[in-house]
Amino acid sequence: MSIEAKEEFRPKIVAFCCNWCSYAGADLAGSSRLSYPADVKIIRVPCSCRVNPMFILRAFEKGADGVIMCGCHPGDCHYSTGNYYARRRMTLLFSMLDYIGVENGRTRVEWVSAAEGVKFSTTMNEFVEKIYSLGKNVRLEDIRCRN
Amino acid sequence: MSTEKKQAELIKEISGVNPLKCMKCGKCSASCPSFNEMDIKPHQFVSYVANENIEELVNSKSLWKCLSCFACVERCPRDVKPGKLIDAARQLVVRQKGQNYLTPDEIPELLDPELPQQLLVSAFRRYRR
Amino acid sequence: MYKIAKENLSALFQSIAENQELYLPVEVSGQVNYKAWTPDAKVSLETLKTVKSPKDAFFPQSENLYTVQRDGKKLSIQPEALKEQKFVVFGMKACDIQGVKVLDNVFLSDPVDSFYAARREHGTIVAMACHEPEESCFCKVFGIDCAEPAADVATWMVDGELYWKALTDKGEALTKAVESLLTEADGTDAEKLETEKTAIRAIVEKLPYSDLSLEGWNGDALTEKFNSPVWEELYKPCLACGTCTFVCPTCQCYDIKDYDTGHGVKRYRCWDSCMYSDFTMMAHGNNRTSQLQRFRQRFMHKLVYYPANNNGMYSCVGCGRCVEKCPASLNIVKVIKAFEKQGGDK
Amino acid sequence: MQRIGVFVCHCGSNIAATVDVKRVAEMALMEPGVVHAEDYQYMCSEAGQALIAKAIEEKQLTGLVICSCSPRMHEATFRKAAERAGLNPYMVEIANIREHCSWIHKDMEEATKKAVILMRAAVAKVNLNTPLQPGESLVTKRALVIGGGIAGIQTALDIADAGYEVDIVEKEPSIGGRMSQLDKTFPTLDCSACILTPKMVEAAAHEKINIYTYSEVEKVSGFVGDFTVDIRKKARSVDMDKCTGCGVCQEKCPSKKAPSEFNRGLNNRSAIYTPFAQAIPNVPVIDREHCIKFKTGKCGVCSKVCQAGAIDYDQKDEIVTEKYGAIVVATGFDIIKLDNYDEYAYSQSKDVITSLELERIMNAAGPTSGHLERLSDGKAPKEIVFIQCVGSRCSDDRGKSYCSKICCMYTAKHAMLIRDKYPDVNVTVFYIDVRTPGKNFDEFYRRAVEQYGVNYIKGQVGKVIPQPDGKLLVQGSDLLDNKQILKEADMVVLAAAIEPNPDVRKIATMLTASIDTNNFLTEAHAKLRPVESPTAGIFLSGVCQGPKDIPETVAQAGAAAVKAIGLLAKDKLMTNPCTAKPDETLCNGCSTCANVCPYGAITYEDKEIFDHGIRETRRVAQVNSALCQGCGACTVACPSGAMDLQGFSNRQIIAEVDAICR
Amino acid sequence: MQELINRAKELLADGTVARVLGWKAGDLPYNPEPAYFETEESLKDFVYNGFCGANLSKYMIEASKLEGKTMVCLKPCDTYSFNQLIKEHRVDRDKAYIVGVGCKGKLDIEKIKKQGIKGIQSIQGAEITDDAETLTIQTIYGEKTCAYKDGMLERCHVCKGKEHQIYDEIIGESKDTKDADRFDEVRRIEAMRPEEKFAFFQSELSKCIRCNACRNVCPACSCRKCVFDSNKFDSSQKANVDSFEEKMFHIIRAFHVAGRCTDCGECSRVCPQGIPLHLFNRKFIKDIDELYGEYQAGEDTDSKGPLTNFTFDDAEPSIVTERG
């Protein structure tokens, strides 16, 4: 692919962050001025277990190019067990997406604590880079949403 | 990967033991009936494997002094089971020495009809790894 | 009458497709449905019944009606263009053609459905006789002769030759367009064709459903049939899926919905099924709250309401798709028979 | 349709330097529902809040979007501002354009674009917000403490001193717990009973404290602020009001063959007994299993000798139902069963004992009246071996994976006391590690070694072999000398691992408090909420939460009391309105949500449902909003989508997703 | 079959049950329908043969609301569904008298027809008492034969076994039909390159007509109102568009039943377009087995499902990428 095309492509990336750890981790990344690309937009949820697989599919349907979910580290969940459920749900969902031929790497889960601003920023940088390398999501998007 | 590293990996694989679980309590050595005969003591075995110091281990007296009574295996509080490590190290030596594997087809020829079946079965159990 | 050898058909399709869209039975992942022709499409004219009927060609399962574009707080509406491209549907069976007539009565009478009308105007139907009808067929019951399908062009496949007869102006025009590929049929061909027709009709006589009686199914029977206790037993195995409706060549109910594109809304219509719990759902609620009512609606519509409003024409054509596809093995024939039995019991 | 006001904060230059705030406000006006947009220097300032209030009033706003710093910073501020201006506080959403935008992006164009999208997402969400009302529930001003050991006693005293009624439920005939069994305490070596007994007396005498001994919690229902608890008072067979505690009955009781629980079965007691001399209450109970009257119907000696006429053979168990606002669990610990440690010969030799048994032997009120002697032959031991970590730090299923924490210190204490009292006795301690984190702890251990000459050997013992002459052959290893050691001992003392009282499992289930794989109660947050259970209104005191020594237990008991007092001090509880809420017409009644709820907030109820013309009784989920903490696990687990989370509803989140992706 | 009918008559006569849920002979040799029988007389139409593939567990949801007990005929695989429905409080065990019926594999008329057999007049060899070896089929176009195995539903080739998981009594013999591994097809797809996988599912799902037969027949899809039908969610769509919607529908449906699907195979049986829908469910089952330990939904009525359970050391989602 030419460099020009790459410059044109600006991915849409949705990040679900749990209120207690990862959202705070993102805040810390912000207050520490640790930059990551503006393509990432964060949605605050109370806990990673609030993220319905449907939200992720919905994001892809509407044209997202990557979806990442962040939560407290296993064992540190504010609600004690939420992220354990989320972990199983996401593992199965990602496996299914892989199975139907969606490129590996469009989805990701990362556990980021409130103290891990650096990790948040590094993760987002990595993830965005990955999405750039994968290019536009065409396999899951609904063409009716194109404009 | 260095030879010793490979060997260490192999010992871990054969024995199914993770030496990093050892908390160095020494209960194995405390339990060992052959302790005084050994140059490398049972508890040291674990650290030798963990440190990938395999050459010394396989050349040690201890390797052949272990009675396989498995007292250490029984009593180890951390599921490290030095006896299994020793057993695995022996396997390593035996395998290297003669490469003496048998294929299933070769076995019947070697069998004496008089041989008790029980012996065979226990031999398989013992050496199948 | 013309004919063309079976092996030359792909050339014929190619030729038709050069100037217009061509829809015909194509196999995809083991199932045959009407699809647009492409050079590498796996055409299957031997298939007696495609899974879905070809009604999609005139009344697609879902189609856009208009798009609302949002720019800030301003909205602009863009109606969907009507069909302007000519197209051919190739291989439609007599029953499916009758199905189109049923749809015509609905969509072409006042108020005319402009989307449907445009498609009808631009579409040419090439019909094909049924070579070997099957046990689920009962078109004869509705007076349909599957040996003599009547459309713009009628065709028969006999011994590796496709016989071609134009029946309307549209048919003549199409024939003219592909004339170079066709050869004139002669007297022996005509004989062969008659033999084929006789053979088809003989098979039809042997089919288990051919003696089905529609006696008593008309507008006069409305109250009696509607209130019959027979429904109470009949509907019970129904799973409330839409299979019968979506494979049916005559079902014409649709729902209108909005799709949020993020930049506005696409208003589309798509087939609905009277078996669905939200069928004819209105602001105040639903006027059919039980599956019995919905189940009854389907058959009353096909066999009572529709004929009452359309000079006795049934909105079932005996294609037998529902017979084959219903997951619970229910179908219109069982309904008709159930009432027959009940009549006998009286 | 909402009437939304969008307020874009400059945050001085924090936001405005990289985000074109004017443009964000302009773009906001293009969004559906937005009727007002403005930007201001500091939205959180008095003046900024006044702008918001003014706009709410003038434009009749129904929803607000504040584009500013993180909601973790000022969400509460803006919600309060909205509430003061008459708007429901939950109609406010924050678009985080500082931490998540201006601070991490340098390019103005890019940052502005992103800020606009974040604003859009927030507007899309507010469009679907509904006013939420925090629920209210009344608080019963009474606390229940389960367990009457030092943890329970301390918690009860602290709560009672703050002026609230407290009930202690203790399953034994007396309060006091494990501490009452101890002889001396480390690292001060003061007498355990001397410091515990005054606390027991204080608790018994406190007008706000009511003690149920010989009682157990039978059933718990309700939720934070409003628990209903059934307490089973086991039949004591002695009238508590009449008994004077003279002790004659115990003296005269002919059945003296019951093993004494208090002395760990090392000696016997009578069938009618108080566990120990300082027992509170000082009222005996009849152990019906050993009582001749109950076994054969004949005897009745105690009744005859009791001048107060307190003996009542017909007494029955009694259920008391009480209401509580807070519950503190202080169920303590026991030591593990040593049945699986054959190598230490615990069940083969009377001279292999646990440390807790040694406590009793050393105690003047114990089975040997405080004389150190072998239980097998009464001889004074000359050689004593202590074995550490018996069943602690063990990854197989014989023991526990954790460190029991207190053993290193009490072993040093025992060694020191023995060497002090019996200088001719040799004491050897086999250890793996000596762990002494604590004030004056390491000094204490070093004194044992340096001053008292206790022989510490690094290495675990492999086997203890009883000899025909009554000696015990201890086979251990000295890892530092790399030698195997065979040592003849007269007595072996095992530092057995401690484990939570086995009853805690039952209690945790009743309380819907979670427990970990080791049966320790889980705290709400390992670091920040260590004395609270994740279940609201349940607090943790003492070893039931994790291994602790006495000062730590007392400290935690106090902390749990403070948390309980904090709760009881409120008349009403405001509950977070962002709780799960089922749509009853969609609910299948499948219980999936209840299975994943960490708070036991979901119950099922048969209810008449009117759904599209059908009226039927269905099993539907009910969320107790006082218990629900709003995590949302149930909303995703729910197969039918009936469960939704207020404030973070499916449609709200989907609207945000759509807004970001469009 | 006679034994079944006799037993049904007894149970009706002595008042144990108020009705019998079984199959009624159809008007073609291969289309018996699920039916209720309330009188001895009506049982003359009762039939149980190789074409009685329907899983009657789902009907028990409605039957549980009726007065009195229902005698229900459940095949071994159906009993898994019934157990699962008990677990989810959707059926009432006390309202069911379960007769476990024997099974020698169920037939797929589409498969038989695919072999060029048409104009079917009668079929011999499909009775439950037959040895399930060969089918002899009379057609308008002459007599045809077909090996029983070749006409069997896919699910019967990977049968979970002929043991009933729950029953009050068992009537009729079974015959083992398993001759393939149920995860083979899943493995074949897993081994494909992403483009191939995508093309495979795109081609299969492009056939979907959104008739909802798979959903409505599924015992795990027993929601009172499906999210795809409810206006309360923005997912309520009916269009069959080739881009994402069908995939969304099928992935969400598969996820919806993940951990609850007993692999009864009804979805694939009823799909009018022959889409192998079980490939979705089995992928989840395979993943669950591999990642969280073997789990068979419907084996019992009280265990925790894999998605409402966890262990502290579950695999991380990144395993999907790592295992490649």
Side-chain angles (χ1 to χ4, degrees), chain D residues 263-267 335-339 341-363 367-368 370-381 383-391 407 410-411 414-415 418 422 425 427-428 461 464 466 470 472 474 489-497:
Chain D
N263 284 330
R264 305 296 297 179
L266 299 180
N267 67 348
I335 56 175
I336 63 163
K337 294 251 179 320
L338 293 174
D339 300 347
Y341 282 95
D342 279 350
E343 65 259 41
Y344 296 137
Y346 176 70
S347 44
Q348 294 152 42
S349 169
K350 279 185 138 183
D351 300 325
V352 180
I353 58 173
T354 64
S355 300
L356 195 51
E357 288 163 4
L358 182 66
E359 291 282 353
R360 295 314 305 147
I361 290 173
M362 306 273 284
N363 189 277
T368 60
H371 300 298
L372 181 64
E373 59 189 46
R374 279 158 52 104
L375 293 172
S376 58
D377 51 16
K379 284 187 191 149
E383 194 70 50
I384 299 182
V385 165
F386 285 85
I387 304 175
Q388 298 296 91
C389 298
V390 177
C407 326
Y410 70 60
T411 298
H414 289 154
I418 290 171
Y422 311 97
V425 176
V427 176
T428 309
V461 168
V464 175
L472 297 160
V474 178
D490 300 310
M491 194 183 244
V492 171
V493 185
L494 307 177

Side-chain angles (χ1 to χ4, degrees), chain A residues 59-104:
Chain A
F60 283 127
E61 180 198 354
K62 297 290 174 189
D65 301 296
V67 180
I68 181 166
M69 188 190 87
C70 300
C72 308
H73 285 270
D76 292 350
C77 176
H78 178 78
Y79 306 100
S80 69
T81 53
N83 51 6
Y84 289 119
Y85 294 117
R87 184 162 66 178
R88 283 201 169 186
R89 289 170 189 155
M90 291 307 137
T91 307
L92 290 181
L93 176 71
F94 293 0
S95 178
M96 177 52 75
L97 291 177
D98 173 67
Y99 182 69
I100 63 159
V102 177
E103 308 90 334
N104 246 325

